Amino acid sequence: QHPTSNPSAPPTSLGTLTSTSTSGGSTQKIYSNGSKCGPKNLPRKSTVITTSNCCSPPSITSFTESPTCSYTFNLCQPCPPPSNLRPTVLIKKMFTHAYDNYIYNAYPSSNLLPLSCSGSKFDLIRIPMVTLIDTMDTLYLMGNYTEFFRNVERLRGMRFGVDQNVSVFETNIRVLGGLMGAHFLATETLTVPVPVNSIWDGEGNVRSGPSTSGDCCSIKG
């Protein structure tokens, strides 16, 4: 039973869709020339259906008939699945492409030159492996814990006592920030075990790969 005092029989055919409009999370559709209504089979004037994402089971939240044979429905439907899934996958693929090419073509230099696919210094900081340090927290957030701990081992023997003039800003955000972020994530949130043999090879070297890079740069090794 519809929530109205004395409704006519609801339409069995919506008729012709005459307009559609969207506002926020709601969509409104207006139909005309549908089935007859009421005991006298009067011509139906219109049917207005407004659908909103209520994150609840599908239901009719309200129904009115005013004037006679002009229907207004308000419907509730489940929220759609997150639309950001595809961008998330794309962003992860782009990051992996850039990171893999740094490891295979530029490590342990500070930067990767994208056109020549070769390593270069970063004059504002002047220490090696700046890109590696800068990306550790991103590796962790993307769930690549194996590569994260490979980088921990790559950095274990690094010396930071460089007698150089450096940019305090760049050093703070990329080196200090990268190391502090990685340390916090690893010590406060890590619950996934990483097998030792996925970090070290049989000769005591830190593993590299497998790579999932695209078509920009050649992969060595």
Side-chain angles (χ1 to χ4, degrees):
Q1 184 176 358
H2 300 288
T4 183
S5 57
N6 185 26
S8 304
T12 57
S13 172
L14 293 175
T16 303
L17 178 63
T18 57
S19 69
T20 301
S21 60
T22 301
S23 177
S26 301
T27 300
Q28 185 180 83
K29 295 182 179 182
I30 300 178
Y31 297 84
S32 62
N33 302 323
S35 60
K36 304 293 183 178
C37 71
K40 297 182 179 180
N41 284 331
L42 299 174
R44 178 155 52 88
K45 297 179 176 68
S46 67
T47 300
V48 180
I49 300 178
T50 302
T51 305
S52 302
N53 295 326
C54 306
C55 297
S56 63
S59 61
I60 299 176
T61 57
S62 65
F63 164 67
T64 58
E65 181 186 7
S66 179
T68 302
C69 294
S70 292
Y71 298 95
T72 300
F73 290 90
N74 288 304
L75 308 182
C76 187
Q77 68 179 8
C79 289
S83 60
N84 61 349
L85 178 61
R86 181 173 175 82
T88 300
V89 173
L90 178 61
I91 290 169
K92 187 173 182 178
K93 183 177 180 180
M94 292 171 65
F95 170 81
T96 302
H97 170 82
Y99 174 82
D100 281 358
N101 278 284
Y102 166 77
I103 290 295
Y104 282 95
N105 297 288
Y107 170 82
S109 299
S110 293
N111 287 336
L112 169 69
L113 299 177
L115 297 182
S116 64
C117 278
S118 59
S120 71
K121 296 180 180 180
F122 184 52
D123 289 336
L124 294 178
I125 298 181
R126 303 190 183 198
I127 65 172
M129 294 190 279
V130 173
T131 296
L132 184 146
I133 297 170
D134 198 14
T135 57
M136 287 187 66
D137 52 355
T138 306
L139 285 168
Y140 187 97
L141 293 173
M142 290 190 175
N144 194 341
Y145 306 115
T146 297
E147 193 64 25
F148 176 89
F149 280 106
R150 287 175 181 176
N151 286 349
V152 170
E153 298 304 326
R154 291 178 178 124
L155 290 170
R156 192 176 294 277
M158 181 178 175
R159 292 181 174 271
F160 290 91
V162 180
D163 186 12
Q164 298 280 356
N165 291 326
V166 299
S167 166
V168 175
F169 173 76
E170 291 288 345
T171 304
N172 279 341
I173 65 170
R174 299 191 65 184
V175 179
L176 184 60
L179 292 173
M180 290 181 65
H183 175 77
F184 173 80
L185 291 170
T187 57
E188 298 295 329
T189 66
L190 182 66
T191 58
V192 179
V194 178
V196 174
N197 61 3
S198 67
I199 299 174
W200 300 95
D201 63 18
E203 299 178 356
N205 300 312
V206 178
R207 292 184 181 275
S208 294
S211 173
T212 55
S213 292
D215 57 359
C216 166
C217 308
S218 60
I219 302 299
K220 297 183 292 189

